[in-house]
């Protein structure tokens, strides 16, 4: 491992010192993030949509490191640029070495997901015949449609064009490739096509209108043994792969306005189309708690709305954040009414999302819970005490847009609820030096009764459901910190 890293860095340094002779400007940037789980009483919850809440305490403390470094080589006039970024981690203290089983290599959603990860690998250049801004970027690159819909690394070709006060973005993206070798088999790739227009009707207001069309053909038989299809547990486009026939249209408008000390941000997205020839199961931890729908065509009709409203009072900022992600109210029909993001990382909650600094360990990175959507309300207060010190606190109230309906498999009793609960978060950030930061945060979720769905007994190695009684019994606490060096 260390030998391989050393060889990579040595080769990059050779290139970095050689490039100046070709009239290029080379910059090396880094983000060395040392993160620690100070304490959590429910480590069983932080398992990427697989988390459960065992009765009692599943306490844990650990440390880890995630380091990113990127090399930016551009011509002196800035018309051509090449970027290579690598990531190592998150490497946990004491964890056995080696890539986790089942991790893929290549340029799919979020990068290639191995221990030494190619984070970015792209070329960016100005079109020579364009009189104004017209740049093309191709390769594995950071890509953002909207932070609530799609904002992650992906392979593709993107274009950024300026026409006076109007900016236009276009993209073709290839999240999944079906590398077929069989002459009798069709190529069944997943492609995405993106267009956006940004403009400012007045100086203090910015507006964007965008559309994303995703299309792909499934290459598996939904009736074959082992076919997984779509589940409420992994209700994101990135989990579909090329297993389904997908035609997904997404239309949205977003923007921001600054009126003196008041600021407003907004997002509105409508989603329609179809997910055909697939199976749907409301499954969790391998247990099918509702009748699945097999080899069926599903119509998509979902939407998402978000708003931030805030005010700056000198060193103090007060912000209200609210969003609504539609949910699916009937698992037995042929409709997908739950809003389905593509690939995002949300850090709005420490206990539910990726708000902890050990952000590879979380329950959800999504705007909703399962396929039930989310009604999210947050009031946050931030105070910049000095140039070096910033503190803040927030209160969050969360509920699903549609009830989580479930049955205790042992007693047969049925339950239904939508209350995720109240969460209290706080943080402190301190600049030890200009480029070295210490930060610590903590969150406590007073669980609402919908969290009862995730509860399991832990009296032995066999799963039991005595605690699944319609009433939430397990609150969640976690505190994390980091020391981060950026250059």
């Amino acid at each position: 491992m260390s030998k391989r890293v050393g060889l990579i860095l040595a080769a990059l340094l050779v290139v970095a010192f050689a490039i100046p002779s070709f009239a290029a400007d080379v910059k090396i940037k880094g983000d060395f993030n040392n993160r620690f789980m100070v304490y959590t009483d429910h480590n069983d919850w932080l398992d990427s949509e697989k988390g459960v809440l065992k009765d009692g305490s599943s306490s844990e403390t650990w440390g880890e490191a995630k380091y990113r470094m990127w090399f930016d080589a551009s011509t002196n006039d800035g018309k051509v640029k090449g970027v290579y970024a690598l990531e190592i981690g998150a490497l946990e203290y004491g964890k056995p070495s080696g890539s986790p089983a089942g991790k893929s290599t290549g340029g799919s959603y979020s990068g290639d997901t191995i221990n030494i990860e190619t984070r970015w690998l792209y070329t960016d250049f100005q079109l020579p015949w364009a009189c104004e801004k017209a740049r093309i970027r191709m390769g594995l690159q950071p890509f953002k449609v909207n932070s609530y819909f799609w904002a992650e690394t992906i392979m593709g070709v993107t274009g950024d064009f300026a026409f006076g006060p109007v900016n236009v973005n276009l993209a073709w993206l290839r999240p999944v490739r079906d590398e077929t070798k069989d002459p009798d088999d069709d190529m069944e790739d997943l492609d995405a096509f993106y267009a956006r227009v940004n403009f400012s009707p007045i100086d203090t207001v910015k507006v964007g209108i965008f559309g994303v069309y995703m299309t792909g053909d499934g290459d598996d038989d939904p009736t074959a043994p082992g076919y997984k299809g779509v589940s409420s547990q992994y209700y994101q486009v990135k989990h579909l792969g090329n297993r389904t026939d997908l035609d997904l249209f997404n239309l949205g408008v977003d923007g921001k306005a600054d009126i003196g000390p008041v600021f407003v941000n907004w997002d509105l997205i409508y989603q329609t189309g179809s997910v055909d020839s697939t199976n749907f199961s409301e499954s969790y931890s391998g247990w099918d708690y509702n009748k699945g729908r097999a080899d069926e065509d599903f119509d998509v009709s979902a939407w998402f709305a978000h708003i931030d409203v805030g005010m700056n009072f000198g060193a103090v900022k007060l912000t209200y954040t609210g969003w609504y992600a539609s949910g699916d109210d009937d698992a037995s029909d042929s409709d997908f009414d739950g809003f389905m993001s593509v690939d995002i990382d949300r850090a709005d909650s420490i206990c539910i999302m990726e708000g902890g600094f050990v952000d590879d360990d979380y329950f959800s990175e999504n705007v909703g819970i399962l396929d039930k959507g989310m009604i999210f309300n947050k009031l946050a207060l931030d105070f910049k005490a000095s140039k070096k010190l910033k503190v803040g606190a927030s209160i969050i109230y969360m509920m699903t847009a549609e009830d989580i309906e479930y049955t205790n498999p042992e007693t047969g009793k049925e339950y239904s609820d939508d209350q995720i609960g109240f969460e209290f978060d706080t943080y402190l950030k301190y600049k030890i030096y200009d480029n070295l930061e210490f930060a610590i945060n903590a969150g406590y979720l007073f669980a609402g009764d919908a969290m009862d769905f995730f509860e399991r007994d832990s009296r032995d190695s066999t799963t039991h459901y005595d605690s699944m009684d319609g009433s939430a019994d397990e609150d969640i606490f976690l505190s994390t910190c980091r020391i981060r060096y950026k250059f």
Side-chain angles (χ1 to χ4, degrees):
M1 166 69 180
S2 59
K3 183 177 180 181
R4 192 191 314 171
V5 174
L7 290 173
I8 291 174
L9 293 176
L12 290 170
L13 288 174
V14 169
V15 172
F17 284 113
I19 283 180
S21 63
F22 296 99
D25 181 22
V26 179
K27 296 179 180 178
I28 301 176
K29 301 178 182 179
D31 181 355
F32 293 176
N33 202 352
N34 304 276
R35 302 104 65 90
F36 300 87
M37 174 63 74
V38 179
Y39 177 80
T40 180
D41 63 345
H42 271 296
N43 190 44
D44 49 359
W45 176 246
L46 308 176
D47 199 13
S48 305
E49 279 84 32
K50 300 187 294 294
V52 295
L53 295 171
K54 295 182 179 179
D55 57 345
S57 176
S58 175
S59 59
E60 187 61 275
T61 298
W62 73 86
E64 64 184 31
K66 176 181 279 189
Y67 283 16
R68 290 174 174 173
M69 182 177 292
W70 58 100
F71 300 81
D72 187 327
S74 62
T75 56
N76 291 336
D77 58 9
K79 292 183 178 180
V80 183
K81 178 171 68 173
V83 175
Y84 171 47
L86 60 88
E87 176 181 303
I88 302 172
L91 301 183
E92 294 182 12
Y93 291 29
K95 191 171 185 177
S97 61
S99 299
K103 293 292 187 178
S104 63
T105 60
S108 188
Y109 292 110
S110 306
D112 62 4
T113 62
I114 58 176
N115 221 18
I116 302 177
E117 176 182 338
T118 301
R119 182 65 179 167
W120 301 329
L121 188 70
Y122 65 87
T123 301
D124 182 327
F125 59 92
Q126 170 77 23
L127 292 178
W129 56 84
C131 57
E132 294 190 63
K133 179 182 178 181
R135 298 194 70 91
I136 301 295
R137 178 184 291 182
M138 55 182 62
L140 184 63
Q141 57 186 281
F143 175 71
K144 180 178 179 179
V145 175
N146 179 283
S147 65
Y148 296 92
F149 175 65
W150 193 354
E152 252 293 1
T153 298
I154 194 67
M155 292 288 291
V157 179
T158 62
D160 187 9
F161 309 94
F163 303 95
V166 177
N167 188 259
V168 177
N169 302 133
L170 301 173
W172 163 70
L173 308 158
R174 171 59 63 81
V176 180
R177 179 190 174 202
D178 176 30
E179 193 176 359
T180 182
K181 299 292 193 299
D182 188 345
D184 296 326
D185 189 17
D186 295 331
M187 289 187 298
E188 287 143 346
D189 304 315
L190 177 61
D191 293 295
F193 303 92
Y194 164 65
R196 168 184 281 273
V197 177
N198 295 320
F199 60 95
S200 296
I202 58 176
D203 291 342
T204 58
V205 177
K206 295 182 179 179
V207 179
I209 301 172
F210 63 87
V212 179
Y213 172 56
M214 305 188 74
T215 181
D217 293 325
D219 61 354
D220 291 336
D221 180 4
T223 63
Y227 182 90
K228 294 182 179 180
V230 183
S231 80
S232 60
Q233 182 180 348
Y234 295 108
Y235 198 72
Q236 279 185 294
V237 175
K238 74 174 183 178
H239 294 303
L240 300 182
N242 61 342
R243 298 190 301 262
T244 62
D245 292 337
L246 180 68
D247 278 291
L248 194 64
F249 299 85
N250 304 273
L251 301 173
V253 57
D254 53 22
K256 56 187 297 186
D258 295 289
I259 307 168
V262 178
F263 61 89
V264 181
N265 306 312
W266 67 87
D267 305 89
L268 181 63
I269 305 170
Y270 176 67
Q271 192 170 75
T272 188
S274 63
V275 183
D276 295 339
S277 302
T278 192
N279 300 339
F280 176 72
S281 176
E282 287 214 336
S283 60
Y284 199 80
S285 300
W287 170 50
D288 185 1
Y289 72 86
N290 209 328
K291 296 92 176 171
R293 305 288 288 178
D295 193 12
E296 189 150 340
D297 298 342
F298 295 86
D299 294 326
V300 178
S301 180
W303 63 284
F304 174 85
H306 155 262
I307 190 168
D308 292 325
V309 180
M311 180 174 289
N312 292 293
F313 304 91
V316 177
K317 181 172 71 172
L318 182 66
T319 308
Y320 165 76
T321 297
W323 78 64
Y324 178 90
S326 65
D328 196 282
D329 65 346
D330 187 352
S332 64
D333 65 17
S334 298
D335 296 322
F336 283 164
D337 298 320
F339 180 77
M340 188 178 294
S341 65
V342 179
D343 190 7
I344 57 174
D345 297 285
R346 298 303 314 174
D348 306 83
S349 158
I350 293 176
C351 296
I352 299 291
M353 303 173 195
E354 296 181 76
F357 295 130
V358 288
D359 55 12
D360 281 11
D361 298 275
Y362 56 87
F363 172 71
S364 175
E365 60 184 2
N366 208 348
V367 294
I369 299 292
L370 305 174
D371 63 333
K372 303 306 178 185
M374 174 79 84
I375 299 174
F376 184 93
N377 294 278
K378 179 177 183 178
L379 187 63
L381 182 69
D382 301 283
F383 174 55
K384 190 172 184 180
S386 67
K387 290 183 178 180
K388 291 188 173 183
L389 178 63
K390 186 177 181 181
V391 296
S394 61
I395 180 172
I396 306 170
Y397 177 64
M398 293 172 283
M399 58 188 295
T400 54
E402 301 292 343
D403 284 358
I404 296 178
E405 300 176 349
Y406 58 103
T407 303
N408 185 314
E410 294 179 350
T411 66
K413 290 185 177 180
E414 297 180 351
Y415 303 102
S416 175
D417 209 288
D418 60 2
Q419 305 296 311
I420 300 301
F422 283 95
E423 179 176 332
F424 295 90
D425 295 343
T426 185
Y427 75 88
L428 177 150
K429 295 181 180 180
Y430 180 75
K431 290 282 189 180
I432 301 173
Y433 302 105
D434 288 344
N435 52 359
L436 183 68
E437 178 192 75
F438 167 77
I440 186 168
N441 66 10
Y444 192 98
L445 176 69
F446 293 91
D449 284 343
M451 296 294 288
D452 174 65
F453 167 72
F454 301 101
E455 293 182 6
R456 303 290 185 270
D457 296 343
S458 55
R459 61 178 181 265
D460 53 41
S461 59
T462 305
T463 300
H464 294 281
Y465 298 91
D466 291 352
S467 60
M468 185 182 284
D469 57 4
S471 177
D473 303 312
E474 300 296 328
D475 295 338
I476 301 171
F477 172 78
L478 63 94
S479 175
T480 65
C481 73
R482 73 182 180 201
I483 296 179
R484 190 176 195 178
Y485 171 45
K486 298 179 72 173
F487 61 91

